[in-house]
Amino acid sequence: MKSKTTAAFLTFFLGGIGIHKFYLGQSIQGIFYLLFCWTFIPAILAFFQFFGLLFMSDHAFNVKYNNGF
């Protein structure tokens, strides 16, 4: 079971290198974040994803990342 709070913290602090993508089971996207971290584009994307996770309801998070649990 993935935690929305943990995902948000990982996105905020380590989102620039894609750690949150690996945590959420999106390994391919995580690899792209690692490959392009020197451009700071993943950091900008992670900033917006942080707010997306923050404002996402628990139900929507569970449906998307925990297979509906």
Side-chain angles (χ1 to χ4, degrees):
M1 223 32 206
K2 295 171 185 82
S3 166
K4 185 174 108 169
T5 306
T6 303
F9 277 121
L10 288 173
T11 304
F12 186 76
F13 291 110
L14 299 171
I17 57 173
I19 299 302
H20 66 292
K21 292 293 186 180
F22 290 107
Y23 177 74
L24 293 173
Q26 300 170 336
S27 300
I28 302 298
Q29 290 179 6
I31 291 169
F32 280 113
Y33 273 58
L34 280 172
L35 289 174
F36 293 103
C37 67
W38 61 273
T39 66
F40 294 107
I41 292 171
I44 295 167
L45 294 174
F47 177 75
F48 290 108
Q49 290 170 354
F50 168 72
F51 287 109
L53 284 170
L54 202 60
F55 294 121
M56 183 184 287
S57 70
D58 290 333
H59 176 69
F61 180 84
N62 287 331
V63 167
K64 188 169 184 177
Y65 298 112
N66 288 326
N67 297 324
F69 291 109

